[in-house]
Each structure stands twice: as C-alpha cells, then as structure tokens.
Amino acid sequence: MKANLQAMWLRTSTEVTVRQRLHEVLRQAIIRMVLAPGQALSEKEIADLFTVSRQPVREAFIRLSESGLVEVRPQRGTYVVRISRQAVLEARFIRESLEVAIALEAAKCTLPSGVLMELNELIERQRSCIERQDHDRFFFLDEMFHRTLAISTGQTMAWNVIEDVKAQLDRVRYLSIPDSTPIPKLTDQHQAIVDAIAAGDTTAAVQTMSIHQREILHSLPELERRFPELFEDVGMKIHAQTI
C-alpha cells in the first residue's frame, strides 16, 4: 500500500500546493481501493510517508469528508467510508442529467473538427487498453473523454459540479471494470456518442449518453453481491443476519 501511495504521489504535479497533491493522491487511492472502505487513516503516518507537515494532511481529510469519502470521528480517528448505494444513485442521477445536457449542446452547436478528432483519438487510446488489460489507464482516459466533451461545449462549471458529486460513483465505476462493465462496451458507447454529435443528431446524442450513464445501474447489484464488505448498506444487512 505504501509503495502504491508513493508512486501516486510522484505522478502528481509539483506545480500545485502540497494540500492539493495530498487531496488528489488520497482521493484516487480511495477510488481505486488502494485505501479500502473501513480503513483507518493516520495523519502522522501519511505526513511521514510523503514527508510533509500534518496540517495539509488534516486539510485534505476535511475535503475528502466533504466529498463523502472519509469520516472524521472526533477523538477516534479518520476512516474511509464504505460505499453508500444511495449516494451512488444520487450522484449517477446528477451526472446523467448534466452529461445528457452537455451531449445535446455538443450536437446542437456542431463541435469543431479539432475537438472531434481529439475525442476520437481518446477513444482509440481507450481501445489500446483492451488488449493490455490496462484498467487504470482506461479509467484515466474515460475521465479525459468526458471532461474534454464538457469543456469543449463551454460547460466547465457543469464538469466541476460532476467532479464534486461523483466520488462515491467513481468507486463503483472503478470496481465495475473490467468484469461487470467491460472496456470494449464502454468504448463502443463513447464512439456512438461522438458519432451522434458529429452528425448533429440531437436525439441520438441524448439517447446514447443516457444509455452510457445508466450502465452503472446494471453493474451495481452484481458488485454488491461480489463485494458486500465494501458497501455500507449491504454490510449492515449481512451483520444483522449474523447476529
């Protein structure tokens, strides 16, 4: 775990503040299950690991708690929260609403050829992850695809809202790759979205994006069955049955 965290730290930009780097590393570590649900986090251990003071670590914990990824318990410690089904469903609803609106806007305004080329290049890079089974790389490229689409339509604020609310959703998305939601299926959906936008077909753009954003609804029940210990609601039910 420590080696993974240090590797993630080295990949972050040194042009941002220590607090921002810590927040990004810890956020990604929680999303990618390097820091598991229920795990205790120590300010001192993390500060020592990255050779920083405890203040920026404390500030990063606060931001993570605001995103619903950790729980700070006074006098008891800080813990990675288990995945909340309700939080995932609410985040998915918000994300679908905004991303469908973004796809509609993109199809209506006719994106420049350079942007369409960039989106298609991202899809090709996603396809290259299939053979290598590079799930981490695909997850990064998937983020880039949706961010590029939002920014290119002038919807930076909408993307910021999406990023703020999707932390819990991202953990389920990461778990769903590759088994519950295979990379080829997601890549084909991305291609269908871009094709609809390029054709200026607003109906198809809305439909393809909506289908894409609802994919998690199919994988969530399977993931709860496979990883009950990671989910807050499922874990509580199992605990109640064993008492």
Side-chain angles (χ1 to χ4, degrees):
M1 181 194 74
K2 289 183 178 180
N4 287 336
L5 288 174
Q6 287 174 327
M8 294 172 74
W9 174 260
L10 292 174
R11 288 196 296 268
T12 58
S13 172
T14 57
E15 296 181 0
V16 300
T17 65
V18 170
R19 180 180 61 82
Q20 290 172 308
R21 290 181 72 188
L22 281 169
H23 174 260
E24 181 59 22
V25 167
L26 294 175
R27 186 180 189 276
Q28 288 303 316
I30 293 170
I31 288 171
R32 295 167 191 245
M33 303 296 163
V34 175
L35 296 173
Q39 184 171 340
L41 301 179
S42 164
E43 277 185 17
K44 183 180 184 305
E45 287 180 6
I46 290 175
D48 290 346
L49 181 63
F50 299 124
T51 320
V52 299
S53 69
R54 294 177 66 169
Q55 182 59 32
V57 177
R58 190 173 300 117
E59 292 172 356
F61 282 178
I62 291 171
R63 285 191 64 190
L64 291 168
S65 70
E66 292 170 349
S67 301
L69 291 178
V70 306
E71 180 184 3
V72 180
R73 303 176 188 171
Q75 310 303 319
R76 295 180 61 187
T78 300
Y79 299 84
V80 179
V81 302
R82 287 181 167 78
I83 301 169
S84 164
R85 177 186 178 87
Q86 186 60 32
V88 170
L89 294 176
E90 289 180 11
R92 190 218 61 82
F93 179 85
I94 294 170
R95 182 169 190 180
E96 180 187 351
S97 300
L98 290 174
E99 295 234 28
V100 163
I102 288 168
L104 175 61
E105 184 65 22
K108 283 167 57 179
C109 72
T110 309
L111 292 181
S113 59
V115 174
L116 291 172
M117 185 180 298
E118 183 179 358
L119 291 169
N120 278 309
E121 285 176 355
L122 284 168
I123 292 171
E124 287 307 307
R125 289 162 66 188
Q126 290 167 16
R127 292 193 193 284
S128 72
C129 296
I130 297 172
E131 199 169 314
R132 300 197 308 267
Q133 290 291 295
D134 192 343
H135 310 134
D136 281 357
R137 181 66 176 166
F138 175 82
F139 194 80
F140 170 78
L141 292 169
D142 179 82
E143 289 287 290
M144 288 293 295
F145 175 85
H146 288 279
R147 182 181 185 278
T148 299
L149 186 56
I151 301 303
S152 67
T153 57
Q155 301 304 321
T156 302
M157 187 176 294
W159 180 251
N160 290 339
V161 171
I162 291 168
E163 282 208 306
D164 283 344
V165 303
K166 71 185 181 71
Q168 286 270 29
L169 177 60
D170 280 347
R171 293 205 284 177
V172 175
R173 287 175 55 232
Y174 188 78
L175 276 176
S176 72
I177 301 170
D179 300 326
S180 300
T181 314
I183 292 177
K185 183 176 186 179
L186 294 173
T187 305
D188 288 344
Q189 289 176 350
H190 286 165
Q191 190 65 66
I193 292 166
V194 173
D195 290 347
I197 290 170
D201 188 335
T202 55
T203 300
V206 166
Q207 289 177 342
T208 53
M209 181 61 83
S210 183
I211 289 170
H212 183 58
Q213 293 300 329
R214 295 184 182 192
E215 196 64 47
I216 203 72
L217 295 176
H218 304 298
S219 59
L220 181 57
E222 179 188 346
L223 293 171
E224 288 179 316
R225 286 193 296 271
R226 289 174 58 196
F227 307 106
E229 71 282 1
L230 302 182
F231 288 84
E232 179 182 87
D233 308 336
V234 178
M236 289 173 62
K237 289 179 183 176
I238 291 176
H239 178 68
Q241 292 172 355
T242 57
I243 292 178

